């Protein structure tokens, strides 16, 4: 019952920046923990960053200090600001909404991020 649509992916050179956006449709957005995950070809999907309903954030060690996750509950959006991008950041990035109390877990379709010179 929650639809997530990502945008903002693209091709960027190493050291560049990109901002991903995810807009949600559905009710009780503010109750969900929102996250960004990524998956490179042949690899498992991994957590990049999460932000709780209270605004607490957690980052993967590989992106800590470079990426920033934020949310706007009024607009039902979550963002991922990516700076100092590296080729290893190349992946499909997915937006996720999770609310364990009601067993809610939803995913967007993904947006491609390619870091290459």
């Amino acid at each position: 019952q929650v639809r997530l649509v990502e945008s903002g992916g693209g091709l960027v050179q190493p050291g560049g920046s990109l901002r991903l956006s995810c807009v949600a449709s559905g009710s009780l957005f503010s109750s969900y923990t929102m996250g960004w995950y990524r998956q490179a070809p042949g690899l498992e999907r991994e957590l990049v960053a999460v932000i709780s309903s209270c605004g607490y954030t957690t980052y993967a060690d590989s992106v800590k200090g470079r990426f920033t996750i934020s949310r706007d509950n009024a607009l039902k959006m979550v963002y991922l600001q990516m700076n100092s991008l590296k080729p290893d950041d190349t992946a499909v990035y997915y937006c996720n909404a999770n609310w364990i109390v009601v067993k809610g877990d939803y995913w967007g379709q993904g947006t491609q991020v390619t870091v290459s010179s």
Side-chain angles (χ1 to χ4, degrees):
Q1 296 299 321
V2 176
R3 185 186 179 208
L4 305 172
V5 180
E6 304 97 333
S7 63
L11 175 65
V12 64
Q13 295 185 1
S17 297
L18 211 59
R19 188 183 74 169
L20 305 183
S21 299
C22 174
V23 61
S25 298
S27 61
L28 302 175
F29 173 82
S30 63
S31 296
Y32 284 82
T33 294
M34 302 299 299
W36 287 97
Y37 293 71
R38 67 187 182 187
Q39 186 170 25
L43 300 179
E44 297 292 323
R45 186 174 300 185
E46 65 174 345
L47 184 149
V48 177
V50 295
I51 182 167
S52 75
S53 60
C54 298
Y56 294 101
T57 58
T58 302
Y59 298 90
D61 288 342
S62 60
V63 307
K64 196 171 300 182
R66 299 188 297 122
F67 291 10
T68 302
I69 188 171
S70 60
R71 66 191 296 165
D72 187 326
N73 289 337
L75 298 178
K76 296 183 179 181
M77 296 195 71
V78 61
Y79 309 93
L80 184 67
Q81 178 66 47
M82 304 184 294
N83 299 324
S84 302
L85 284 162
K86 306 174 181 179
D88 285 348
D89 295 320
T90 296
V92 177
Y93 284 70
Y94 297 91
C95 182
N96 171 258
N98 182 268
W99 190 7
I100 192 169
V101 173
V102 297
K103 299 181 181 179
D105 192 46
Y106 303 94
W107 296 88
Q109 83 288 349
T111 185
Q112 176 71 49
V113 172
T114 302
V115 184
S116 176
S117 58

